[in-house]
Amino acid sequence: MRRVKVGRPRARARPRGPHLKQAEADTAALAEVESLAQKLEVPLEEVAELLVEDREGYVPPVALAPALEAGAKGTLFTKSTVDAYIAAVIELWRLQVAHGNSNIENPRGAAVRGFLEQRRRQRGKHDRASFKDRGNDGIQAGYSPDEWLRIQDLLLSGSAYTPQSLRTRVDLLFGHYYLLRGENRRKIELADLSLLEYPAVEGPTRCCCLVSLLQDGKMNKTARKEFMGALRHKDPLFCTQGALAQLLFHRWHIAGEAAPSFQRRSDWYRIKVLVGQDREQELSYPTQLQETWRVFGAAGVVSSKKTHLPRRVGAQSAETYGTSLAQISQAGRWNQSVLCQAYLTHLPREFLRVVAGFSTASGDYFLARAAHEPPYALQKQVWPWIEAWEPRFEARARRCSWAEGGLDEDDLAADGFLKLLRHLRVVLLQDLAVLQPRYPALLFYAYAPFCGPEWDDFARLVQADAAGASEPQSLLLQRALPELSSVLQSSREAILQNSQRLAARLEEKVQGLQASLDALLHGQVPVTFTGYLGSGPAPVAVPVTAIQATIAVPAATAPLGQGPPIYAALATVYTVKDAWREWQEGLAGRPAVRELEEKWGSRWRPGNTVRVQFCRRKVLWDALLARVARGKSEDEAVAELEQLRAGRSLSRLVDELRQRQQRRDPPERSHQLPLPVRGQGRRGQRRRGRWGLWGRRGGSSSREVSL
């Protein structure tokens, strides 16, 4: 499918009758581009190209279409353009079927699928021939953790002069940690927010999740209920809950916006989180794009996508820190099962822990700044109308009307939102106490309750805990338990094996003694007696006790307690440095593996599991020894392999080092640790048959063993 040069674009023809709406849309699109170009100080063509890249399904104005197509006849349509045309045809077919058309065959058949595949191949060749930037939509298209830190720092520090930076900060945090598209973020309303408290197994700190209800968007046209949430982050600069609390405090305490009324659902259900010209009007896309463009430019972030970029980088960041693909898909709502849609909250707790700065396992959720509960005198100064509304909801539970001190209609969303606000004001006080030394010029510190002696006392306590953030001993013990469990398990197996060997030796000795006694009792041992019996002139030779017996005595064995230590498994390691310490010094109270090998050979690792672990970890030790032998220090060798690992698991690193060994890298193969070779052929030659070095015929085993 190629562009064909025509005299006048059909999609944007002069309005005649039914085409009036289309012409009005074209005029509005052109006005939007001109407004953005003036605000961003860039050419019209660049703004139109940016909108095409950033907004899915965007159709540029007719006046700018020739510039975007570079005026060349026969250029290829992009994939999004082709998909848009096909989607329009499918929508028309569905409409015809709904009106009783007998043609029930879906137009998107085998021919269309074949055309799309051919189109992708053509597009790939075209991009290669035209030297298209390969960084677009690649791993470089995004922002790094340092750039993300710089973005948040610029927004929070700039809020003292441009308060709308608080809104942009919440917008980007929702996109990064909730994996929301720009359209979803603009449509979030206060009634969509609620609080979900997790059980105490998450950790010592009270763990609450800020949940957002999503019922509209590009992939949700049927208003099905979807949920996404975020925990409090370790760093208050990246905390979505704290940023939302700061935005609401600015709106209701500083900017003069009226507090929401919960008398009727219609009074507050349309209030937006990211407000536009008024609080019931959502933030416009041009404003969202302009503010995102501005902060990305100030932080040095270069990308063709702007408002959609946080969703992309948030998913990539979660993958980098070890979140499973299933959790990321669940967080981004890329897989919607009936169970999740109908019954579950659909919140990926593992994903929420990772993006909040914690591990994937439950139990280590701890925030030092949350150790001190703010005094109630400070809390009630933030949104004091909460206490006025809560009695009405309690009265409504007793079916009291508005005249009786309750409400005229049930409103579970309002009840949940008030509970959320109670939590957010605690978050606000704790986070601003930590941020005050870093951002003393923020507007908040000029208003109550963030000034005065009571605030100063509370801020000092929180700042002292945050500065010397020491985790509770119970949490440290819980983290050490897996390692202790591994050590105890290995010690138990070693003791059992030693006990079994001792019992076997004792049984062998007892059986030998039993056989000797049986032989003696059954007369199978010859006995001779010699000596004098009585007196007489001539001595008489009589048999005397001279026992000559052959008693079966077991062969001498090594003294007990002097055999090699037996280990059923190696210690668990996660980094190259830990693996090197295991070889040189030993881990978890065990001696160094190097000493065990020099003293006992392979006798200390008789089990199959530890043998396989040793063979795989030996590849890592060989690589480190080879680099040390080439003149590098131990730290440099460890750092080089850590860089090669690039955040992956040690198993992946071992596989890559094995592939390099198979290419016969001479420097590394000359310093490998000695290992007994199975399948040794005649005259020391190694056989490649069934029992060769690398397993069965055909190369190394494809079975991956965890380190």
Side-chain angles (χ1 to χ4, degrees), residues 3-20:
R3 293 182 175 90
V4 179
K5 189 173 182 180
V6 295
R8 183 178 300 170
R10 289 187 177 181
R12 303 294 183 185
R14 183 173 299 275
R16 288 185 179 178
H19 300 286
L20 180 60

mmCIF file with all atom_site columns, all heavy atoms in Angstrom, residues 3-20:
data_model
loop_
_atom_site.group_PDB
_atom_site.id
_atom_site.type_symbol
_atom_site.label_atom_id
_atom_site.label_alt_id
_atom_site.label_comp_id
_atom_site.label_asym_id
_atom_site.label_entity_id
_atom_site.label_seq_id
_atom_site.pdbx_PDB_ins_code
_atom_site.Cartn_x
_atom_site.Cartn_y
_atom_site.Cartn_z
_atom_site.occupancy
_atom_site.B_iso_or_equiv
_atom_site.pdbx_formal_charge
_atom_site.auth_seq_id
_atom_site.auth_comp_id
_atom_site.auth_asym_id
_atom_site.auth_atom_id
_atom_site.pdbx_PDB_model_num
ATOM 1   N N   . ARG A 1 3  ? 1.360   5.589  -1.100 1.00 0.00 ? 3  ARG A N   1
ATOM 2   C CA  . ARG A 1 3  ? 0.654   6.836  -1.343 1.00 0.00 ? 3  ARG A CA  1
ATOM 3   C C   . ARG A 1 3  ? 0.614   7.130  -2.838 1.00 0.00 ? 3  ARG A C   1
ATOM 4   O O   . ARG A 1 3  ? 1.584   6.901  -3.551 1.00 0.00 ? 3  ARG A O   1
ATOM 5   C CB  . ARG A 1 3  ? 1.338   7.975  -0.604 1.00 0.00 ? 3  ARG A CB  1
ATOM 6   C CG  . ARG A 1 3  ? 1.244   7.860  0.914  1.00 0.00 ? 3  ARG A CG  1
ATOM 7   C CD  . ARG A 1 3  ? 1.912   9.062  1.563  1.00 0.00 ? 3  ARG A CD  1
ATOM 8   N NE  . ARG A 1 3  ? 1.720   9.022  3.022  1.00 0.00 ? 3  ARG A NE  1
ATOM 9   C CZ  . ARG A 1 3  ? 2.558   8.430  3.858  1.00 0.00 ? 3  ARG A CZ  1
ATOM 10  N NH1 . ARG A 1 3  ? 3.618   7.827  3.383  1.00 0.00 ? 3  ARG A NH1 1
ATOM 11  N NH2 . ARG A 1 3  ? 2.318   8.442  5.152  1.00 0.00 ? 3  ARG A NH2 1
ATOM 12  N N   . VAL A 1 4  ? -0.471  7.643  -3.284 1.00 0.00 ? 4  VAL A N   1
ATOM 13  C CA  . VAL A 1 4  ? -0.645  8.003  -4.689 1.00 0.00 ? 4  VAL A CA  1
ATOM 14  C C   . VAL A 1 4  ? -0.930  9.500  -4.749 1.00 0.00 ? 4  VAL A C   1
ATOM 15  O O   . VAL A 1 4  ? -1.775  10.026 -4.007 1.00 0.00 ? 4  VAL A O   1
ATOM 16  C CB  . VAL A 1 4  ? -1.795  7.208  -5.336 1.00 0.00 ? 4  VAL A CB  1
ATOM 17  C CG1 . VAL A 1 4  ? -1.962  7.618  -6.785 1.00 0.00 ? 4  VAL A CG1 1
ATOM 18  C CG2 . VAL A 1 4  ? -1.519  5.716  -5.228 1.00 0.00 ? 4  VAL A CG2 1
ATOM 19  N N   . LYS A 1 5  ? -0.209  10.175 -5.613 1.00 0.00 ? 5  LYS A N   1
ATOM 20  C CA  . LYS A 1 5  ? -0.367  11.615 -5.734 1.00 0.00 ? 5  LYS A CA  1
ATOM 21  C C   . LYS A 1 5  ? -1.706  11.926 -6.395 1.00 0.00 ? 5  LYS A C   1
ATOM 22  O O   . LYS A 1 5  ? -1.999  11.474 -7.497 1.00 0.00 ? 5  LYS A O   1
ATOM 23  C CB  . LYS A 1 5  ? 0.782   12.199 -6.549 1.00 0.00 ? 5  LYS A CB  1
ATOM 24  C CG  . LYS A 1 5  ? 0.798   13.727 -6.533 1.00 0.00 ? 5  LYS A CG  1
ATOM 25  C CD  . LYS A 1 5  ? 2.043   14.259 -7.203 1.00 0.00 ? 5  LYS A CD  1
ATOM 26  C CE  . LYS A 1 5  ? 2.071   15.782 -7.128 1.00 0.00 ? 5  LYS A CE  1
ATOM 27  N NZ  . LYS A 1 5  ? 3.284   16.320 -7.776 1.00 0.00 ? 5  LYS A NZ  1
ATOM 28  N N   . VAL A 1 6  ? -2.513  12.713 -5.723 1.00 0.00 ? 6  VAL A N   1
ATOM 29  C CA  . VAL A 1 6  ? -3.823  13.098 -6.248 1.00 0.00 ? 6  VAL A CA  1
ATOM 30  C C   . VAL A 1 6  ? -3.932  14.612 -6.186 1.00 0.00 ? 6  VAL A C   1
ATOM 31  O O   . VAL A 1 6  ? -3.164  15.303 -5.506 1.00 0.00 ? 6  VAL A O   1
ATOM 32  C CB  . VAL A 1 6  ? -4.963  12.442 -5.448 1.00 0.00 ? 6  VAL A CB  1
ATOM 33  C CG1 . VAL A 1 6  ? -4.926  10.950 -5.631 1.00 0.00 ? 6  VAL A CG1 1
ATOM 34  C CG2 . VAL A 1 6  ? -4.858  12.808 -3.976 1.00 0.00 ? 6  VAL A CG2 1
ATOM 35  N N   . GLY A 1 7  ? -4.925  15.086 -6.897 1.00 0.00 ? 7  GLY A N   1
ATOM 36  C CA  . GLY A 1 7  ? -5.063  16.533 -6.955 1.00 0.00 ? 7  GLY A CA  1
ATOM 37  C C   . GLY A 1 7  ? -5.535  17.135 -5.649 1.00 0.00 ? 7  GLY A C   1
ATOM 38  O O   . GLY A 1 7  ? -5.142  18.222 -5.278 1.00 0.00 ? 7  GLY A O   1
ATOM 39  N N   . ARG A 1 8  ? -6.389  16.421 -4.912 1.00 0.00 ? 8  ARG A N   1
ATOM 40  C CA  . ARG A 1 8  ? -6.940  16.975 -3.681 1.00 0.00 ? 8  ARG A CA  1
ATOM 41  C C   . ARG A 1 8  ? -7.150  15.834 -2.689 1.00 0.00 ? 8  ARG A C   1
ATOM 42  O O   . ARG A 1 8  ? -7.730  14.816 -3.052 1.00 0.00 ? 8  ARG A O   1
ATOM 43  C CB  . ARG A 1 8  ? -8.270  17.658 -3.958 1.00 0.00 ? 8  ARG A CB  1
ATOM 44  C CG  . ARG A 1 8  ? -8.903  18.330 -2.731 1.00 0.00 ? 8  ARG A CG  1
ATOM 45  C CD  . ARG A 1 8  ? -10.178 19.014 -3.105 1.00 0.00 ? 8  ARG A CD  1
ATOM 46  N NE  . ARG A 1 8  ? -9.945  20.049 -4.126 1.00 0.00 ? 8  ARG A NE  1
ATOM 47  C CZ  . ARG A 1 8  ? -10.923 20.662 -4.761 1.00 0.00 ? 8  ARG A CZ  1
ATOM 48  N NH1 . ARG A 1 8  ? -12.183 20.351 -4.512 1.00 0.00 ? 8  ARG A NH1 1
ATOM 49  N NH2 . ARG A 1 8  ? -10.649 21.591 -5.673 1.00 0.00 ? 8  ARG A NH2 1
ATOM 50  N N   . PRO A 1 9  ? -6.693  15.942 -1.439 1.00 0.00 ? 9  PRO A N   1
ATOM 51  C CA  . PRO A 1 9  ? -6.868  14.859 -0.464 1.00 0.00 ? 9  PRO A CA  1
ATOM 52  C C   . PRO A 1 9  ? -8.338  14.597 -0.204 1.00 0.00 ? 9  PRO A C   1
ATOM 53  O O   . PRO A 1 9  ? -9.114  15.511 0.063  1.00 0.00 ? 9  PRO A O   1
ATOM 54  C CB  . PRO A 1 9  ? -6.167  15.397 0.792  1.00 0.00 ? 9  PRO A CB  1
ATOM 55  C CG  . PRO A 1 9  ? -5.273  16.497 0.291  1.00 0.00 ? 9  PRO A CG  1
ATOM 56  C CD  . PRO A 1 9  ? -5.961  17.072 -0.904 1.00 0.00 ? 9  PRO A CD  1
ATOM 57  N N   . ARG A 1 10 ? -8.712  13.323 -0.267 1.00 0.00 ? 10 ARG A N   1
ATOM 58  C CA  . ARG A 1 10 ? -10.118 12.955 -0.060 1.00 0.00 ? 10 ARG A CA  1
ATOM 59  C C   . ARG A 1 10 ? -10.545 13.146 1.382  1.00 0.00 ? 10 ARG A C   1
ATOM 60  O O   . ARG A 1 10 ? -11.643 13.561 1.666  1.00 0.00 ? 10 ARG A O   1
ATOM 61  C CB  . ARG A 1 10 ? -10.341 11.503 -0.462 1.00 0.00 ? 10 ARG A CB  1
ATOM 62  C CG  . ARG A 1 10 ? -10.264 11.274 -1.966 1.00 0.00 ? 10 ARG A CG  1
ATOM 63  C CD  . ARG A 1 10 ? -10.666 9.840  -2.282 1.00 0.00 ? 10 ARG A CD  1
ATOM 64  N NE  . ARG A 1 10 ? -10.669 9.596  -3.696 1.00 0.00 ? 10 ARG A NE  1
ATOM 65  C CZ  . ARG A 1 10 ? -10.994 8.436  -4.237 1.00 0.00 ? 10 ARG A CZ  1
ATOM 66  N NH1 . ARG A 1 10 ? -11.333 7.427  -3.453 1.00 0.00 ? 10 ARG A NH1 1
ATOM 67  N NH2 . ARG A 1 10 ? -10.988 8.275  -5.546 1.00 0.00 ? 10 ARG A NH2 1
ATOM 68  N N   . ALA A 1 11 ? -9.634  12.781 2.304  1.00 0.00 ? 11 ALA A N   1
ATOM 69  C CA  . ALA A 1 11 ? -10.016 12.796 3.716  1.00 0.00 ? 11 ALA A CA  1
ATOM 70  C C   . ALA A 1 11 ? -10.306 14.200 4.207  1.00 0.00 ? 11 ALA A C   1
ATOM 71  O O   . ALA A 1 11 ? -11.001 14.390 5.180  1.00 0.00 ? 11 ALA A O   1
ATOM 72  C CB  . ALA A 1 11 ? -8.919  12.164 4.560  1.00 0.00 ? 11 ALA A CB  1
ATOM 73  N N   . ARG A 1 12 ? -9.724  15.211 3.521  1.00 0.00 ? 12 ARG A N   1
ATOM 74  C CA  . ARG A 1 12 ? -9.922  16.578 3.993  1.00 0.00 ? 12 ARG A CA  1
ATOM 75  C C   . ARG A 1 12 ? -10.535 17.443 2.866  1.00 0.00 ? 12 ARG A C   1
ATOM 76  O O   . ARG A 1 12 ? -10.049 18.508 2.506  1.00 0.00 ? 12 ARG A O   1
ATOM 77  C CB  . ARG A 1 12 ? -8.579  17.179 4.433  1.00 0.00 ? 12 ARG A CB  1
ATOM 78  C CG  . ARG A 1 12 ? -7.871  16.375 5.522  1.00 0.00 ? 12 ARG A CG  1
ATOM 79  C CD  . ARG A 1 12 ? -8.653  16.409 6.817  1.00 0.00 ? 12 ARG A CD  1
ATOM 80  N NE  . ARG A 1 12 ? -7.934  15.703 7.865  1.00 0.00 ? 12 ARG A NE  1
ATOM 81  C CZ  . ARG A 1 12 ? -8.411  15.493 9.074  1.00 0.00 ? 12 ARG A CZ  1
ATOM 82  N NH1 . ARG A 1 12 ? -9.625  15.913 9.374  1.00 0.00 ? 12 ARG A NH1 1
ATOM 83  N NH2 . ARG A 1 12 ? -7.703  14.857 9.984  1.00 0.00 ? 12 ARG A NH2 1
ATOM 84  N N   . ALA A 1 13 ? -11.554 16.969 2.181  1.00 0.00 ? 13 ALA A N   1
ATOM 85  C CA  . ALA A 1 13 ? -12.157 17.695 1.068  1.00 0.00 ? 13 ALA A CA  1
ATOM 86  C C   . ALA A 1 13 ? -12.927 18.906 1.585  1.00 0.00 ? 13 ALA A C   1
ATOM 87  O O   . ALA A 1 13 ? -13.240 19.015 2.767  1.00 0.00 ? 13 ALA A O   1
ATOM 88  C CB  . ALA A 1 13 ? -13.077 16.773 0.279  1.00 0.00 ? 13 ALA A CB  1
ATOM 89  N N   . ARG A 1 14 ? -13.233 19.819 0.652  1.00 0.00 ? 14 ARG A N   1
ATOM 90  C CA  . ARG A 1 14 ? -13.993 21.016 1.022  1.00 0.00 ? 14 ARG A CA  1
ATOM 91  C C   . ARG A 1 14 ? -15.380 20.582 1.520  1.00 0.00 ? 14 ARG A C   1
ATOM 92  O O   . ARG A 1 14 ? -16.014 19.728 0.929  1.00 0.00 ? 14 ARG A O   1
ATOM 93  C CB  . ARG A 1 14 ? -14.116 21.940 -0.184 1.00 0.00 ? 14 ARG A CB  1
ATOM 94  C CG  . ARG A 1 14 ? -14.829 23.254 0.119  1.00 0.00 ? 14 ARG A CG  1
ATOM 95  C CD  . ARG A 1 14 ? -14.763 24.169 -1.078 1.00 0.00 ? 14 ARG A CD  1
ATOM 96  N NE  . ARG A 1 14 ? -13.399 24.485 -1.408 1.00 0.00 ? 14 ARG A NE  1
ATOM 97  C CZ  . ARG A 1 14 ? -12.692 25.465 -0.857 1.00 0.00 ? 14 ARG A CZ  1
ATOM 98  N NH1 . ARG A 1 14 ? -13.251 26.191 0.104  1.00 0.00 ? 14 ARG A NH1 1
ATOM 99  N NH2 . ARG A 1 14 ? -11.464 25.710 -1.235 1.00 0.00 ? 14 ARG A NH2 1
ATOM 100 N N   . PRO A 1 15 ? -15.811 21.139 2.621  1.00 0.00 ? 15 PRO A N   1
ATOM 101 C CA  . PRO A 1 15 ? -17.060 20.677 3.226  1.00 0.00 ? 15 PRO A CA  1
ATOM 102 C C   . PRO A 1 15 ? -18.263 20.866 2.323  1.00 0.00 ? 15 PRO A C   1
ATOM 103 O O   . PRO A 1 15 ? -18.508 21.943 1.796  1.00 0.00 ? 15 PRO A O   1
ATOM 104 C CB  . PRO A 1 15 ? -17.175 21.539 4.486  1.00 0.00 ? 15 PRO A CB  1
ATOM 105 C CG  . PRO A 1 15 ? -16.334 22.744 4.215  1.00 0.00 ? 15 PRO A CG  1
ATOM 106 C CD  . PRO A 1 15 ? -15.233 22.280 3.332  1.00 0.00 ? 15 PRO A CD  1
ATOM 107 N N   . ARG A 1 16 ? -18.935 19.778 2.131  1.00 0.00 ? 16 ARG A N   1
ATOM 108 C CA  . ARG A 1 16 ? -20.193 19.801 1.383  1.00 0.00 ? 16 ARG A CA  1
ATOM 109 C C   . ARG A 1 16 ? -21.155 18.835 2.051  1.00 0.00 ? 16 ARG A C   1
ATOM 110 O O   . ARG A 1 16 ? -20.937 17.634 1.999  1.00 0.00 ? 16 ARG A O   1
ATOM 111 C CB  . ARG A 1 16 ? -19.995 19.408 -0.071 1.00 0.00 ? 16 ARG A CB  1
ATOM 112 C CG  . ARG A 1 16 ? -19.285 20.481 -0.905 1.00 0.00 ? 16 ARG A CG  1
ATOM 113 C CD  . ARG A 1 16 ? -19.216 20.088 -2.368 1.00 0.00 ? 16 ARG A CD  1
ATOM 114 N NE  . ARG A 1 16 ? -18.564 21.095 -3.168 1.00 0.00 ? 16 ARG A NE  1
ATOM 115 C CZ  . ARG A 1 16 ? -18.341 20.981 -4.474 1.00 0.00 ? 16 ARG A CZ  1
ATOM 116 N NH1 . ARG A 1 16 ? -18.753 19.883 -5.103 1.00 0.00 ? 16 ARG A NH1 1
ATOM 117 N NH2 . ARG A 1 16 ? -17.723 21.936 -5.141 1.00 0.00 ? 16 ARG A NH2 1
ATOM 118 N N   . GLY A 1 17 ? -22.139 19.360 2.674  1.00 0.00 ? 17 GLY A N   1
ATOM 119 C CA  . GLY A 1 17 ? -23.147 18.504 3.282  1.00 0.00 ? 17 GLY A CA  1
ATOM 120 C C   . GLY A 1 17 ? -22.568 17.670 4.418  1.00 0.00 ? 17 GLY A C   1
ATOM 121 O O   . GLY A 1 17 ? -22.118 18.187 5.433  1.00 0.00 ? 17 GLY A O   1
ATOM 122 N N   . PRO A 1 18 ? -22.514 16.303 4.268  1.00 0.00 ? 18 PRO A N   1
ATOM 123 C CA  . PRO A 1 18 ? -22.097 15.438 5.375  1.00 0.00 ? 18 PRO A CA  1
ATOM 124 C C   . PRO A 1 18 ? -20.637 15.598 5.736  1.00 0.00 ? 18 PRO A C   1
ATOM 125 O O   . PRO A 1 18 ? -20.204 15.116 6.789  1.00 0.00 ? 18 PRO A O   1
ATOM 126 C CB  . PRO A 1 18 ? -22.350 14.026 4.826  1.00 0.00 ? 18 PRO A CB  1
ATOM 127 C CG  . PRO A 1 18 ? -22.836 14.166 3.430  1.00 0.00 ? 18 PRO A CG  1
ATOM 128 C CD  . PRO A 1 18 ? -22.943 15.574 3.075  1.00 0.00 ? 18 PRO A CD  1
ATOM 129 N N   . HIS A 1 19 ? -19.819 16.255 4.886  1.00 0.00 ? 19 HIS A N   1
ATOM 130 C CA  . HIS A 1 19 ? -18.399 16.393 5.191  1.00 0.00 ? 19 HIS A CA  1
ATOM 131 C C   . HIS A 1 19 ? -18.107 17.600 6.067  1.00 0.00 ? 19 HIS A C   1
ATOM 132 O O   . HIS A 1 19 ? -16.943 17.945 6.275  1.00 0.00 ? 19 HIS A O   1
ATOM 133 C CB  . HIS A 1 19 ? -17.599 16.515 3.889  1.00 0.00 ? 19 HIS A CB  1
ATOM 134 C CG  . HIS A 1 19 ? -17.747 15.328 2.993  1.00 0.00 ? 19 HIS A CG  1
ATOM 135 N ND1 . HIS A 1 19 ? -17.138 14.123 3.265  1.00 0.00 ? 19 HIS A ND1 1
ATOM 136 C CD2 . HIS A 1 19 ? -18.433 15.167 1.833  1.00 0.00 ? 19 HIS A CD2 1
ATOM 137 C CE1 . HIS A 1 19 ? -17.436 13.261 2.295  1.00 0.00 ? 19 HIS A CE1 1
ATOM 138 N NE2 . HIS A 1 19 ? -18.220 13.860 1.427  1.00 0.00 ? 19 HIS A NE2 1
ATOM 139 N N   . LEU A 1 20 ? -19.135 18.238 6.585  1.00 0.00 ? 20 LEU A N   1
ATOM 140 C CA  . LEU A 1 20 ? -18.928 19.432 7.383  1.00 0.00 ? 20 LEU A CA  1
ATOM 141 C C   . LEU A 1 20 ? -18.165 19.124 8.671  1.00 0.00 ? 20 LEU A C   1
ATOM 142 O O   . LEU A 1 20 ? -17.233 19.840 9.047  1.00 0.00 ? 20 LEU A O   1
ATOM 143 C CB  . LEU A 1 20 ? -20.283 20.072 7.689  1.00 0.00 ? 20 LEU A CB  1
ATOM 144 C CG  . LEU A 1 20 ? -20.242 21.366 8.525  1.00 0.00 ? 20 LEU A CG  1
ATOM 145 C CD1 . LEU A 1 20 ? -19.445 22.428 7.804  1.00 0.00 ? 20 LEU A CD1 1
ATOM 146 C CD2 . LEU A 1 20 ? -21.647 21.849 8.824  1.00 0.00 ? 20 LEU A CD2 1
#
